[in-house]
């Protein structure tokens, strides 16, 4: 956690807090990015449906979107509980929920049960993000230190993407030497089961984690106001609430509407189409690795710039404007004709898109007071990002049934290009109305 300010070095307990938050952010994305990697082989085993058919696309869309809706609804409730019950308690239970849900998903025998456990996994992830951001923001009152802590801990989200890509690669490579599950050695099952990892150190560390001093002090003094969803739409917060939810949806829309479909586009490339299934899966994980490297670089770049650029609009546009230019040709050309060009193109698109997720984690705590912080963040992240934004996945898979192209991957690539470009345009247009925070300190 870089820190250049004298007298603001982190204490051992603060390092522990940052480590727990980073672990949570890391495995948030680890759990979410499992699905693009495992959805194809899981559908082939559990339902025996052919890729590219309407039934296949419908199940892919449901597995992406229904968990996001459940996560959004319960995540909104989780934000409210974060303001009512405390940041630490909600953070810990949410991590345990998604870890054990992901593990249970590895043993399912039907698509319906896979969908159920993906829903409970998503609920845990949605709640954890809000609780962790509010917790960190209030534990570090110095503005520059807070921006750095929020930025660099969120960067571990992309390390989660790298880890799940590596886990899937290892599962594909060594599946036959692992214990049999449900009569087989399917790599997607081992990948899902690996999601239990974050629960193990958390069980040991949990008793040593402090509550947010800001929240705890107000709670003890009896001055902590009751959170209210209705207050988010009062004149003081209405514009921020609606606009951040919409823009959060645009950020997620670019990811779920375009980037997360790349693993199903890669098998249609000329260099890949004739290979066996195991070889194709290894190449898919390789492309995913480039994408996650891009996301990691983007999050670190955001963290670096967040403490140096005062204007939040300018900070966001540094990533939006290049994305508008680069995303369309990556999906309209590279994803159809050139594997090597796709790797580097998706690295850049990942950098520009995933950095925007960290932007919202830094921006939102500065827009709401203590008693509304979790509730306000959860509305933007869960209603905007998780529910509205992830619907872009369903939009892309539906649109793929009607776009031109000789093969399913080509149709999907065209659909992803259209949806990704539209979400970038909408997010950039909305940025002109984004409120600037009034000061560096958090609202009381």
């Amino acid at each position: 956690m870089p820190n250049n300010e004298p007298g603001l070095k982190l204490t051992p307990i603060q390092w522990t807090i940052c480590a727990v938050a980073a672990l949570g952010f890391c495995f948030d994305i680890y759990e979410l990015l499992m699905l693009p990697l495992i959805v194809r082989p899981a559908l082939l085993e559990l339902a025996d449906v052919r890729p590219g058919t309407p039934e296949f696309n419908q199940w892919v869309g449901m597995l992406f979107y229904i968990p996001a809706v459940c996560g959004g609804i319960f995540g909104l409730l989780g934000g409210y509980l974060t303001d009512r019950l405390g940041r630490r308690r909600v953070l810990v239970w949410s991590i345990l929920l998604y870890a054990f849900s992901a593990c249970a998903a590895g043993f399912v025998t039907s698509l319906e049960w896979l969908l159920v456990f993906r829903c409970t996994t998503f609920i845990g992830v949605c709640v954890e993000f809000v609780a962790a951001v509010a917790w960190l923001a209030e534990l570090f009152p110095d503005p520059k230190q807070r921006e750095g802590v929020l930025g660099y801990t969120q960067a571990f989200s992309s390390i989660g993407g790298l880890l799940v890509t590596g886990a899937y690669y290892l599962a594909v490579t060594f599946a036959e030497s692992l214990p049999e599950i449900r009569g087989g050695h399917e790599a997607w099952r081992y990948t899902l089961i690996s999601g239990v990892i974050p629960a193990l150190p958390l069980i040991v560390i949990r008793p040593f984690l402090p509550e947010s001093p800001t929240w705890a002090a107000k709670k003890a003094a009896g001055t902590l106001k009751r959170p209210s969803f209705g207050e988010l739409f009062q004149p003081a917060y209405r514009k921020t609430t609606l606009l951040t939810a919409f823009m959060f949806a645009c950020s997620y829309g670019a990811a779920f509407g375009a980037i997360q479909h790349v693993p199903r586009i890669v098998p249609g490339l000329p260099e890949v189409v004739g290979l066996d299934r195991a070889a194709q899966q290894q190449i898919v994980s390789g492309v995913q690795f480039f994408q996650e490297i891009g996301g990691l670089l983007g999050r670190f770049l955001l963290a670096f710039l967040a403490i140096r650029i005062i204007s939040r609009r300018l900070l966001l546009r540094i990533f939006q404007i290049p994305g508008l230019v680069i995303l369309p040709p990556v999906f309209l050309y590279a994803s159809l004709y050139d594997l090597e060009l796709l790797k580097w193109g998706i690295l850049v698109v990942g950098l520009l898109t995933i950095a925007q997720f960290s932007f919202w984690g830094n921006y939102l705590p500065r827009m709401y007071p203590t008693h509304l912080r979790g509730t306000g963040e959860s509305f933007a992240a869960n209603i905007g990002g998780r529910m509205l934004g992830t619907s872009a996945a369903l939009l892309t898979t539906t649109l793929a049934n009607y776009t031109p192209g000789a093969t399913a991957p080509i149709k999907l690539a065209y659909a992803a290009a259209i949806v990704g470009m539209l979400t970038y345009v909408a997010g950039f247009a909305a940025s002109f109305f984004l409120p600037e925070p009034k000061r560096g300190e958090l609202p009381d």
Side-chain angles (χ1 to χ4, degrees), residues 394-440:
L394 185 59
L395 176 60
T396 299
T397 55
T398 302
L399 187 61
N401 294 321
Y402 306 99
T403 48
T407 66
I410 293 175
K411 290 174 175 287
L412 184 60
Y414 286 145
I418 293 169
V419 174
M421 184 172 62
L422 287 176
T423 55
Y424 255 99
V425 169
F428 177 68
S431 71
F432 288 89
F433 305 96
L434 186 69
E436 291 284 358
K438 294 180 181 178
R439 58 185 184 275

Side-chain angles (χ1 to χ4, degrees), residues 13-274:
I13 191 64
Q14 287 178 322
W15 277 108
T16 302
I17 291 165
C18 290
V20 170
L23 180 71
F25 288 137
C26 177
F27 276 86
D28 278 2
I29 302 303
Y30 188 98
E31 309 290 6
L32 295 183
L33 291 186
M34 283 181 182
L35 188 60
L37 293 168
I38 64 95
V39 66
R40 190 172 187 268
L43 284 173
L44 289 173
E45 179 186 345
L46 296 175
D48 194 26
V49 291
R50 186 167 59 86
T53 62
E55 183 183 5
F56 184 92
N57 285 338
Q58 182 182 22
W59 267 108
V60 171
M62 288 194 299
L63 284 166
F64 271 104
Y65 187 54
I66 292 177
V69 171
C70 293
I73 294 171
F74 285 93
L76 186 61
L77 176 61
Y80 176 85
L81 293 176
T82 296
D83 287 333
R84 286 283 291 157
L85 304 178
R87 288 42 168 135
R88 181 194 60 176
R89 184 184 303 177
V90 174
L91 172 77
V92 169
W93 284 108
S94 61
I95 293 177
L96 293 175
L97 173 62
Y98 73 60
F100 286 110
S101 295
C103 180
F107 296 92
V108 298
T109 57
S110 69
L111 284 175
E112 289 77 13
W113 274 111
L114 178 62
L115 181 58
V116 167
F117 285 120
R118 286 303 298 175
C119 286
T120 53
T121 299
F122 224 114
I123 289 169
V125 167
C126 291
V127 174
E128 190 278 337
F129 172 81
V130 171
V133 168
W135 191 47
L136 287 173
E138 292 169 357
L139 282 163
F140 297 92
D142 179 79
K144 286 191 174 182
Q145 189 181 52
R146 183 183 64 247
E147 294 292 323
V149 165
L150 283 169
Y152 287 112
T153 53
Q154 286 183 92
F156 279 81
S157 296
S158 289
I159 292 179
L162 291 174
L163 289 176
V164 74
T165 302
Y168 184 67
Y169 180 87
L170 291 174
V172 170
T173 305
F174 300 105
E176 293 302 321
S177 62
L178 296 173
E180 189 176 279
I181 300 176
R182 298 292 181 187
H185 298 271
E186 292 294 330
W188 66 270
R189 292 187 181 275
Y190 303 118
T191 306
L192 283 167
I193 292 170
S194 68
V196 77
I197 293 172
L200 304 179
L202 190 62
I203 292 171
V204 177
I205 297 172
R206 180 190 171 192
F208 306 100
L209 300 177
E211 182 53 87
S212 158
T214 303
W215 183 90
K218 286 181 173 291
K219 181 73 172 177
T223 58
L224 184 68
K225 296 180 182 178
R226 190 181 184 92
S228 166
F229 292 115
E231 191 173 349
L232 296 178
F233 299 95
Q234 294 300 311
Y237 303 112
R238 184 187 302 135
K239 179 180 179 181
T240 297
T241 298
L242 295 176
L243 195 60
T244 55
F246 176 77
M247 295 183 68
F248 216 129
C250 292
S251 299
Y252 263 75
F256 279 78
I259 295 176
Q260 292 213 22
H261 296 284
V262 169
R264 293 191 297 120
I265 295 173
V266 170
L269 281 162
E271 303 101 311
V272 184
V273 70

